[in-house]
Amino acid sequence: MKLGKVEFCHFLQIIALFLCLSGMNQAELSRSRSKPYFQSGRPRTKRSWVWNQFFVLEEYMGTDPLYVGKLHSDVDKGDGSIKYILSGEGASSIFIIDENTGDIHATKRLDREEQAYYTLRAQALDRLTNKPVEPESEFVIKIQDINDNEPKFLDGPYTAGVPEMSPVGTSVVQVTATDADDPTYGNSARVVYSILQGQPYFSVEPKTGIIKTALPNMDREAKDQYLLVIQAKDMVGQNGGLSGTTSVTVTLTDVNDNPPRFPRRSYQYNVPESLPVASVVARIKAADADVGPNAEMEYKIVDGDGLGVFKISVDKDTQEGIITIQKELDFEAKTSYTLRIEAANKHVDSRFQSLGPFSDMTTVKIIVEDVDEPPVFTSRLYSMVVSEAAKVGTIIGTVAAHDPDVSNSPVRYSIDRNTDLERYFNIDANSGVITTAKSLDRESNAVHNITVLAMESQNPAQIGRGYVAITILDINDNAPEFAMEYETTVCENAQPGQVIQKISAVDKDDPPSGHQFYFSLTAEAANNHNFTLQDNKDNTASVLTRRNGFRRQEQSVFYLPIFIVDSGSPSLSSTNTLTIRVCDCDADGIAQTCNAEAYILPAGLSTGALIAILACVLTLLVLVLLIVTMRRRKKEPLIFDEERDIRENIVRYDDEGGGEEDTEAFDMAALRNLNIIRDTKTRRDVTPEIQFLSRPTFKSIPDNVIFREFIWERLKEADVDPCAPPYDSLQTYAFEGNGSVAESLSSLDSISSNSDQNYDYLSDWGPRFKRLADMYGTGPDSLYS
């Protein structure tokens, strides 16, 4: 068999190792002077056998059991009187011993990576007595390693990142491979690393497995990801060693090494002048090849004539510059704006300043387009005043509006009547002069807020709105009056000069300097002997008694007319009557009962309470009467009798019909008289059995009986029908009579050879039926005779 160079080297190594171990395992048992062995009933003897550690090569693939070693005792004379036994780990299952010779063999393939050594116990027994001749001793069988495990990357595959533009030798990641072989024996577990894929960009240190950059200035924008294949080989990388590989994905992370640049040096946008404030005019973006925070930018307007009209902000998601309007545009005032805009990176890396300034400039020109705008008032709010005494047609003020467009179309004015529902004002359509259209009343509405519409003559759809606040000036047109309705009482035991009421006044007018009222008694009441009035000079007055000894029986009520004058120009006055009631009072002067009616009314019951009680009683009486009346009302019968015959309206049609069954002028009373041939009615509260009633043939029965029986047949069917409607429903029946005495006039059977119908009687009916008699008759004049 021809072996290769590598296989031959391995074979020589295995043979040499095997021979070495075999020589070690042939160690003979020798006398031991270290440990005595005591045996019961015998003198003490020295230990007569020992052994050393045995070695077995792993992964033995032979067909015969693998010889491990030999046990021998000095007591054994070779006559077969000694028996050797083996116990412990793997005894009998993996390791067996020849009980006569002491030879130990391994019966199974051993793997050091599964178990590196086995601990067993050996004993020599007397074959006859089965008693030990040597003390039980323990020994170890160690599995000798061979290079049968390749290195493995337990944490692979790997991913790592390194900043772009990193210098050569920048550490990226460390990879580690493990080898299951014995690291203390030979080079089976000594691993070296190498890179199979990824040059010349990266390298790996052979002993540590640290991956480093191998090229400078690697640009993420050119290539952002690399796939590396790393190999780990045992036997220090020598030929014949085993190897394993793993992959490493290296991603270049971004650094700010690209300045922003506008794709164009200038931009132009057209916007209508009607665009609202805060609307977006344009979006511009400077290109930046970086990503994430390195691509974040700031925009600002550094120059131009639109600094106060426009502003620019950044969209954080797209990094665009958003230009918006800050002020209203006016084509008539300015038709275009020019802006110089700068874009700059927010985060600049000082290492790459040499690549150029990390900012850029561009020009944005904004063209304002003209649109047809509504008229504009010279003021957004007009304030006007007018006296409430102004006559109809008085000029209040003028509003003015103009068309802001270049065409300067004439403007017409009108009032939005939704803001002037009562039509108090008018406006001249051409001049904008506002006048009064009705008399004004400040007390009803002190301020009128109206909206004035201004429309272009050429385009009425363009409407501007102006707002006018019209304040109504006050005049003294309302007389003063009592501030409230006073309920004044005077005690029967009142003393002269006693104040019984303090009064005040109100006035709907509103003079600038405030109200001043003057109180006095009227001329006819000034000299009365009962009461007097004192003006307090503070818009109040006091009513005082002038005598004592008031008596309810003599006079229970006094009426005191009071004259009130205001301070307006011209002043207005009014007379107000104060009602004073005489009351019985307690010792503290508190009224108990007043007026003569107090003698008959229950104590504490007022007139209003009594009226409410009487109203409730009256309402109850009316309800009782209505209930009694409704109960006594007789119910109308459901079916008319003969005495209450009501004929229906008969509509007559001018037809040629007629015949025996013609019901014109038919006595409808026969239909109403339901007392004739009336069957016993079925109770509606009991569900009857449903029967199918046969309808008899009506031939020789009088007409009124036919109709009556027809109706009663239908009535009985409804009575026994559980689904029939109640009594107060209306049921209609169609009845066409029982036929003519001439029976059928059909000619369907006329041509039959066996027809024996005689139609000669038709000739007796008059000239109207002569044609039929000629067609169907059998007389000599018949057409078919």
Side-chain angles (χ1 to χ4, degrees):
M1 180 176 179
K2 188 174 182 180
L3 297 175
K5 183 177 180 182
V6 175
E7 290 80 359
F8 182 72
C9 291
H10 286 174
F11 179 74
L12 291 179
Q13 291 176 359
I14 292 173
I15 293 298
L17 181 61
F18 180 76
L19 293 176
C20 179
L21 293 177
S22 297
M24 295 173 63
N25 291 338
Q26 295 297 330
E28 296 291 337
L29 300 176
S30 61
R31 291 285 180 183
S32 173
R33 297 180 177 87
S34 60
K35 292 183 180 180
Y37 172 64
F38 296 94
Q39 197 171 24
S40 176
R42 295 183 182 180
R44 188 182 70 176
T45 60
K46 295 182 179 179
R47 184 174 179 177
S48 60
W49 66 310
V50 295
W51 44 71
N52 295 323
Q53 188 178 43
F54 292 157
F55 293 89
V56 178
L57 194 66
E58 69 169 332
E59 303 294 346
Y60 172 70
M61 303 298 292
T63 57
D64 297 330
L66 177 64
Y67 180 77
V68 177
K70 182 180 182 65
L71 300 179
H72 185 72
S73 174
D74 291 343
V75 180
D76 187 3
K77 302 300 183 180
D79 55 0
S81 61
I82 302 300
K83 178 175 66 174
Y84 299 96
I85 62 173
L86 193 64
S87 63
E89 290 180 307
S92 300
S93 59
I94 299 176
F95 301 102
I96 59 175
I97 189 170
D98 189 330
E99 63 179 14
N100 296 319
T101 63
D103 291 333
I104 302 174
H105 291 82
T107 61
K108 294 183 179 180
R109 182 174 62 87
L110 301 177
D111 188 357
R112 189 202 68 83
E113 285 70 40
E114 292 182 3
Q115 189 166 343
Y117 62 89
Y118 296 85
T119 302
L120 294 97
R121 293 180 300 277
Q123 197 168 31
L125 303 177
D126 188 294
R127 188 178 295 275
L128 296 177
T129 62
N130 207 31
K131 292 182 179 181
V133 297
E134 294 283 351
E136 184 181 60
S137 296
E138 187 177 85
F139 67 97
V140 174
I141 299 178
K142 188 174 182 181
I143 311 303
Q144 189 67 44
D145 182 52
I146 65 172
N147 188 21
D148 59 341
N149 291 278
E150 72 277 2
K152 293 182 179 179
F153 292 91
L154 301 181
D155 297 329
Y158 296 84
T159 58
V162 63
E164 63 174 330
M165 312 300 287
S166 295
V168 175
T170 302
S171 178
V172 179
V173 68
Q174 183 177 14
V175 297
T176 302
T178 59
D179 196 317
D181 293 324
D182 189 358
T184 63
Y185 179 76
N187 295 325
S188 298
R190 296 182 62 185
V191 177
V192 294
Y193 301 92
S194 61
I195 184 167
L196 301 182
Q197 177 181 322
Q199 301 96 340
Y201 306 101
F202 299 93
S203 63
V204 61
E205 290 187 356
K207 294 183 178 181
T208 62
I210 298 176
I211 300 174
K212 298 181 179 181
T213 58
L215 283 181
N217 301 327
M218 285 192 293
D219 190 2
R220 184 198 66 84
E221 287 73 34
K223 185 176 181 180
D224 62 346
Q225 197 171 80
Y226 297 86
L227 180 63
L228 281 64
V229 177
I230 304 298
Q231 181 189 64
K233 191 174 183 180
D234 59 14
M235 299 297 292
V236 201
Q238 297 176 3
N239 292 335
L242 303 178
S243 64
T245 61
T246 188
S247 64
V248 181
T249 301
V250 180
T251 302
L252 297 184
T253 59
D254 186 58
V255 297
N256 192 8
D257 59 339
N258 292 279
R261 292 291 179 263
F262 282 106
R264 296 164 56 183
R265 293 293 90 191
S266 64
Y267 298 85
Q268 179 173 313
Y269 299 95
N270 295 352
V271 296
E273 63 174 331
S274 59
L275 205 62
V277 174
S279 298
V280 176
V281 174
R283 288 175 175 264
I284 61 175
K285 183 178 181 180
D288 192 329
D290 298 320
V291 295
N294 296 319
E296 292 182 0
M297 281 177 281
E298 292 178 331
Y299 296 88
K300 61 181 178 179
I301 302 174
V302 297
D303 195 7
D305 55 2
L307 288 174
V309 182
F310 302 93
K311 71 174 183 178
I312 188 167
S313 59
V314 64
D315 187 331
K316 294 182 179 180
D317 295 328
T318 63
Q319 296 301 316
E320 292 178 308
I322 304 174
I323 303 174
T324 55
I325 301 175
Q326 281 187 300
K327 293 182 180 180
E328 292 183 352
L329 302 178
D330 187 0
F331 173 81
E332 288 70 28
K334 190 171 180 61
T335 59
S336 66
Y337 296 88
T338 301
L339 307 174
R340 288 282 293 169
I341 296 178
E342 178 188 61
N345 278 139
K346 293 178 64 176
H347 310 286
V348 179
D349 194 333
S350 58
R351 296 176 299 171
F352 307 104
Q353 289 283 6
S354 60
L355 298 179
F358 281 77
S359 63
D360 197 17
M361 302 281 290
T362 190
T363 302
V364 177
K365 187 173 185 179
I366 299 174
I367 305 299
V368 181
E369 296 178 342
D370 186 26
V371 296
D372 192 4
E373 299 175 277
V376 178
F377 283 87
T378 56
S379 175
R380 294 193 57 85
L381 178 63
Y382 294 87
S383 297
M384 302 179 183
V385 294
V386 61
S387 173
E388 64 177 325
K391 297 180 179 180
V392 175
T394 301
I395 296 176
I396 302 173
T398 304
V399 297
H402 68 281
D403 182 8
D405 299 319
V406 177
S407 59
N408 196 16
S409 175
V411 176
R412 295 182 60 82
Y413 302 95
S414 64
I415 294 177
D416 184 355
R417 291 305 176 183
N418 291 324
T419 61
D420 184 27
L421 297 175
E422 300 296 330
R423 295 181 176 269
Y424 283 109
F425 307 99
N426 287 330
I427 188 170
D428 187 275
N430 297 316
S431 64
V433 175
I434 300 175
T435 58
T436 58
K438 282 185 179 181
S439 298
L440 304 175
D441 185 10
R442 188 203 66 83
E443 288 69 37
S444 298
N445 193 353
V447 178
H448 294 264
N449 293 303
I450 64 174
T451 300
V452 177
L453 307 178
M455 295 174 289
E456 291 184 13
S457 299
Q458 297 178 359
N459 186 6
Q462 295 295 334
I463 301 175
R465 285 173 170 79
Y467 304 96
V468 181
I470 302 175
T471 303
I472 310 301
L473 300 179
D474 184 44
I475 63 172
N476 192 25
D477 57 345
N478 290 277
E481 56 187 13
F482 279 158
M484 58 181 293
E485 184 177 352
Y486 295 101
E487 294 183 0
T488 306
T489 61
V490 60
C491 295
E492 290 182 315
N493 57 357
Q495 298 299 319
Q498 181 178 340
V499 176
I500 60 172
Q501 183 68 60
K502 187 175 183 179
I503 61 174
S504 61
V506 294
D507 194 331
K508 294 180 181 179
D509 295 321
D510 187 18
S513 59
H515 288 289
Q516 181 63 46
F517 300 114
Y518 305 97
F519 301 88
S520 64
L521 295 177
T522 59
E524 60 270 16
N527 297 322
N528 77 90
H529 302 289
N530 300 310
F531 305 98
T532 185
L533 184 70
Q534 177 182 333
D535 193 338
N536 297 326
K537 306 301 183 181
D538 59 354
N539 287 342
T540 66
S542 300
V543 180
L544 298 87
T545 58
R546 300 187 69 173
R547 67 179 180 88
N548 59 1
F550 294 94
R551 295 292 180 267
R552 287 177 292 165
Q553 294 82 354
E554 297 176 0
Q555 186 174 353
S556 61
V557 180
F558 292 91
Y559 299 99
L560 186 65
I562 299 176
F563 187 70
I564 307 175
V565 181
D566 63 16
S567 59
S569 179
S571 62
L572 297 179
S573 62
S574 66
T575 300
N576 299 264
T577 301
L578 182 67
T579 301
I580 305 173
R581 297 183 182 277
V582 181
C583 299
D584 180 24
C585 301
D586 58 12
D588 296 327
I590 299 175
Q592 300 295 317
T593 57
C594 300
N595 300 341
E597 62 184 3
Y599 293 103
I600 60 174
L601 294 178
L605 189 63
S606 64
T607 304
L610 181 61
I611 294 174
I613 293 173
L614 291 176
C616 292
V617 172
L618 181 60
T619 303
L620 291 175
L621 290 176
V622 172
L623 290 175
V624 171
L625 290 176
L626 287 175
I627 294 172
V628 172
T629 303
M630 293 177 65
R631 287 184 175 180
R632 291 182 176 179
R633 181 180 298 175
K634 293 182 179 180
K635 295 183 178 179
E636 295 292 334
L638 296 176
I639 303 175
F640 293 105
D641 53 19
E642 293 180 358
E643 290 76 19
R644 301 184 61 196
D645 180 23
I646 301 176
R647 292 185 177 272
E648 300 169 344
N649 293 330
I650 298 176
V651 181
R652 182 170 181 174
Y653 300 95
D654 188 14
D655 61 351
E656 298 197 24
E660 293 78 10
E661 301 302 325
D662 190 358
T663 58
E664 183 178 2
F666 182 79
D667 186 8
M668 299 298 290
L671 296 178
R672 309 287 190 245
N673 189 4
L674 303 179
N675 296 323
I676 304 174
I677 320 178
R678 177 172 298 180
D679 297 337
T680 303
K681 289 186 177 180
T682 306
R683 288 182 58 182
R684 298 305 295 267
D685 57 343
V686 178
T687 304
E689 295 183 1
I690 300 175
Q691 299 177 356
F692 295 95
L693 303 177
S694 61
R695 298 184 180 90
T697 306
F698 306 106
K699 288 196 176 181
S700 60
I701 305 176
D703 291 343
N704 58 343
V705 177
I706 293 172
F707 281 101
R708 187 164 50 248
E709 291 191 1
F710 172 80
I711 292 176
W712 279 111
E713 291 290 342
R714 296 298 188 273
L715 181 59
K716 285 190 289 181
E717 288 183 4
D719 286 341
V720 300
D721 186 1
C723 299
Y727 280 118
D728 55 355
S729 64
L730 176 64
Q731 300 193 39
T732 60
Y733 302 104
F735 181 69
E736 296 181 3
N738 63 339
S740 172
V741 296
E743 297 183 355
S744 175
L745 298 180
S746 174
S747 61
L748 294 177
D749 297 331
S750 301
I751 62 175
S752 176
S753 60
N754 56 0
S755 175
D756 56 355
Q757 180 69 40
N758 185 6
Y759 295 100
D760 292 341
Y761 62 88
L762 294 176
S763 60
D764 299 331
W765 287 12
R768 292 186 179 182
F769 295 90
K770 186 176 184 304
R771 183 63 175 172
L772 288 174
D774 294 338
M775 294 175 63
Y776 296 98
T778 57
D781 298 331
S782 175
L783 296 175
Y784 298 96
S785 60

